[in-house]
Amino acid sequence: MHKPRAITLVCDATFYAKRKDKLGTLVFFDSTQKEVLLWKHIQSETVKEYKDLKQQLENLGYTIQSVTFDGKRGLPKVANSGCFSKLSLKAI
């Protein structure tokens, strides 16, 4: 059950294998409430995957106050894509 609110978003992707048929999960987590808000199985970490989950959050009524990434792999592309423009971005 979703409870739309202002959130402090943490985004992370985890992959389960390094084979050609990769499978991973992209997770959007509210660090203030310690709640997984959305997740999606993915084959690669792309800007499109982040934009899709961000749009779903916004459609559900959430307001993103800040975003934290782990700064690995495709994340520089996401941070520079405008996907989370006008937000406080933090790569750790």
Side-chain angles (χ1 to χ4, degrees), residues 15-50:
F15 288 88
Y16 309 110
K18 296 198 182 240
R19 300 184 327 237
K20 196 174 191 177
D21 58 335
K22 289 193 265 183
L23 175 64
T25 303
L26 177 59
V27 178
F28 276 25
F29 178 80
D30 178 3
S31 65
T32 304
Q33 296 295 318
K34 310 291 188 232
E35 178 186 359
V36 173
L37 301 171
L38 292 173
W39 59 271
K40 178 180 182 179
H41 287 298
I42 58 175
Q43 290 187 353
S44 64
E45 196 171 4
T46 65
V47 172
K48 181 187 180 318
E49 303 296 355
Y50 281 85

Side-chain angles (χ1 to χ4, degrees), residues 47 71-81:
V47 172
K72 296 181 182 173
R73 296 187 192 187
L75 275 294
K77 290 179 186 176
V78 174
N80 294 324
S81 72

Side-chain angles (χ1 to χ4, degrees), residues 9-12 45 50 66-80 84 87-92:
L9 185 64
V10 175
C11 306
D12 196 17
E45 196 171 4
Y50 281 85
S66 68
V67 181
T68 302
F69 298 104
D70 65 4
K72 296 181 182 173
R73 296 187 192 187
L75 275 294
K77 290 179 186 176
V78 174
N80 294 324
F84 293 103
L87 294 174
S88 170
L89 299 176
K90 180 179 179 182
I92 57 171

Side-chain angles (χ1 to χ4, degrees), residues 1-5 37-38 53-63:
M1 169 106 102
H2 288 278
K3 297 176 185 167
R5 59 189 178 271
L37 301 171
L38 292 173
L53 282 187
K54 177 183 173 266
Q55 187 62 53
Q56 286 182 42
L57 276 180
E58 291 173 342
N59 290 346
L60 289 167
Y62 291 96
T63 303

